[in-house]
Every structure is written in C-alpha cells, then in structure tokens.
Amino acid sequence: MRIAVAADSTDGVAAVLVDELGRRGHEVLVHGALAAGDRADWAWSAEAAARDVAAGRADQAVVCCWTGTGASIAANKVAGVRAALCADAYTATGARRWNDANVLALSLRTVSEPTLAEILDAWFAGTPSSDPDDAANVAHTADI
C-alpha cells in the first residue's frame, strides 16, 4: 500500500513512523520535515499528504504535528479526505470502521513507540462498516 506521511518536525515518532511503515511493507511518500526541501509547516505538509490521497497517488496517509490537531484540520480541508486524530488503537479502529477514515492524524508529543505500533495495527486491520447507517453518515459527510 502507498502511504503518504507528513510531519512538521522530526520530533517524537516521526522518523520511527516512516521506518515502521516501510518495515510493514508499505511504500512511503514523505512530506514536510521528512523530505529535504519541503515546507515543514503542519498546514502545508498535511495538505501535501492529503492531496496525495485525494489524487490517488497514495492509498492512505498519516499526518503528524505536535498535537495532531492542526494536521488533521488541514488534511480535512482536502475534498475526499476523512482524517481522524487517533491517540489509541480503539479510536483508530472506530475511525476506520464507522468513518471510513483514509488519513490518520497523530500527535508527535503524546504518541509513544509502543502506542504507535498499536495504533498502526488497528488502523491497517480496520475496514469500513457495511452497516447502511454508517455508510449513509460517510456519504453525508462528503456532501457537507
């Protein structure tokens, strides 16, 4: 799977995230502080990763900033992107199941390496719900 990754700094789990995704067999496209010459600011780097998803250059993305909030807000401004800020595996599972999230947002300040592994396990194991109400919510969100 092609995963776009954006971070506004190399603090916390940013570099570990790229390595872990590669170790899991994903092709990683990097943005922001992870890519030489890119603008590292959270809004620009998260937008670049989200646009990769929207344009089909990436299947999913992971966007990071100090809290994860700004990166998730920026990513969600891109049409077709459903970014979810996840601090634990339960939230990642729900984001994939009920929201059909295609962009994972993470905090570089609070996510530890063991928690990162748990979140990624849950994220990649997750699939969208087949419940008609859940699908209707996702479709309605696209129409807003």
Side-chain angles (χ1 to χ4, degrees):
M1 186 179 301
R2 285 171 303 166
I3 309 293
V5 177
D8 64 347
S9 76
T10 56
D11 294 320
V13 295
V16 172
L17 170 62
V18 173
D19 291 343
E20 179 62 17
L21 290 170
R23 188 188 68 73
R24 291 173 182 236
H26 300 292
E27 178 186 345
V28 181
L29 312 170
V30 294
H31 297 285
L34 303 169
D38 268 16
R39 184 167 181 164
D41 301 89
W42 57 264
W44 281 265
S45 61
E47 175 193 9
R51 289 200 184 282
D52 281 346
V53 172
R57 291 184 298 269
D59 302 298
Q60 296 182 359
V62 183
V63 296
C64 309
C65 67
W66 194 240
T67 64
T69 306
S72 66
I73 291 169
N76 274 317
K77 299 294 282 183
V78 176
V81 167
R82 293 172 305 282
L85 176 57
C86 299
D88 55 49
Y90 182 81
T91 306
T93 297
R96 293 286 296 127
R97 178 180 302 136
W98 299 306
N99 311 123
D100 191 13
N102 54 9
V103 174
L104 170 63
L106 297 173
S107 166
L108 293 175
R109 185 182 80 78
T110 62
V111 175
S112 66
E113 288 185 39
T115 302
L116 173 65
E118 293 168 2
I119 291 170
L120 292 176
D121 287 344
W123 182 266
F124 291 117
T127 57
S129 169
S130 59
D131 182 279
D133 290 338
D134 294 334
N137 276 300
V138 172
H140 180 67
T141 301
D143 293 339
I144 296 175

